[in-house]
Amino acid sequence: LPLRLRGQGLLRWGRAWGFDGRLNSGPISVGLLPDKIRILGDVIESGMLEIQLEGSGVGPDWRKWDVRGWVAVTEGVVRLPEVQAPLTHLYVRLKIEKHLLDLKRMEFRLNESTAVVTGLMKNWSTTPEASLMWNAPQFDLELLIPKKERSLLRDGVEWLADHGTLEGSILIER
C-alpha cells in the first residue's frame, strides 16, 4: 500500500468521552490508493498528500475540538464538477490552528492559465470569515465561471455569503 500513517493518542471512555492525539502521514501517493480509499471523493485524481495533525476534544461535536497541524498537496491533479479541464500542477500548503485555516499557498494550472491563492479563514467550523488574495496573470475566468451558468466557485461564494463573510482581492493581468 502506498500509505504510511503514524499516530499516538489517548482515548477516554465514559459519559464525556474524549481524546488527545497526533496523526502523521508520510507522503501518500493519491493516484496509487486502492479504489475504496478516496480523498475528497473522486475530486483528487493524483498527487502527493502529507498530513500532520494533533488535537484534543471532548464529546461528539467536532466543532468544539482543538485541532492543529497542516495539510500539503504537491503535483496534484483535481477534477472539479462542472469544470471541463482538470486543475493540474496543484500545490497546496494549509495550516490549521484551532478555528483558523491559513492557506499559505495554493497554486494550480487550468489549461494555460495559472493562479496563486493565499488567504485566511477564521471561525471555519462555525461562522466563516474568509479573506483571500487571488493572483493570476493571464487567467481565463470563463474556465471556472462559465457565462450564464452555475459553477462550483459561484456556489461556494454564495454559500459563504449566506453563512459568513468574504473579503478578497483579485489581480488578473491581460
Side-chain angles (χ1 to χ4, degrees):
L1 241 180
L3 178 66
R4 184 183 75 203
L5 297 174
R6 275 181 272 141
Q8 65 184 42
L10 174 67
L11 289 174
R12 292 180 302 279
W13 297 103
R15 274 195 231 165
W17 65 271
F19 74 94
D20 289 296
R22 173 181 201 103
L23 173 69
N24 293 329
S25 78
I28 300 169
S29 180
V30 176
L32 297 177
L33 290 173
D35 289 338
K36 302 224 183 234
I37 300 175
R38 289 284 153 230
I39 309 293
L40 297 175
D42 288 328
V43 173
I44 299 179
E45 289 185 353
S46 64
M48 298 303 288
L49 172 69
E50 291 187 62
I51 302 168
Q52 181 181 354
L53 295 174
E54 60 183 65
S56 60
V58 176
D61 188 356
W62 62 269
R63 290 171 291 229
K64 295 180 182 177
W65 297 351
D66 179 15
V67 178
R68 299 166 304 284
W70 57 267
V71 176
V73 175
T74 54
E75 289 304 314
V77 175
V78 172
R79 284 209 179 266
L80 298 174
E82 304 164 10
V83 178
Q84 291 179 355
L87 302 180
T88 61
H89 298 86
L90 177 67
Y91 173 86
V92 176
R93 180 76 173 179
L94 177 68
K95 183 177 180 185
I96 302 164
E97 284 290 332
K98 200 168 181 175
H99 301 292
L100 175 71
L101 298 179
D102 184 356
L103 183 60
K104 297 292 187 184
R105 185 174 186 91
M106 178 173 70
E107 188 172 340
F108 63 90
R109 279 190 184 161
L110 183 54
N111 287 344
E112 298 302 314
S113 297
T114 302
V116 176
V117 182
T118 58
L120 297 170
M121 184 177 288
K122 298 176 186 174
N123 305 317
W124 63 273
S125 60
T126 56
T127 307
E129 297 175 33
S131 177
L132 298 172
M133 175 63 168
W134 176 294
N135 188 346
Q138 308 293 322
F139 198 88
D140 183 358
L141 271 180
E142 280 190 46
L143 295 170
L144 284 178
I145 308 173
K147 287 184 179 176
K148 300 180 183 179
E149 293 181 32
R150 301 297 304 174
S151 72
L152 187 64
L153 185 60
R154 181 178 180 174
D155 291 344
V157 169
E158 288 176 359
W159 179 89
L160 193 54
D162 288 342
H163 296 88
T165 305
L166 176 64
E167 171 185 298
S169 299
I170 298 176
L171 171 63
I172 301 174
E173 299 172 358
R174 290 229 174 224

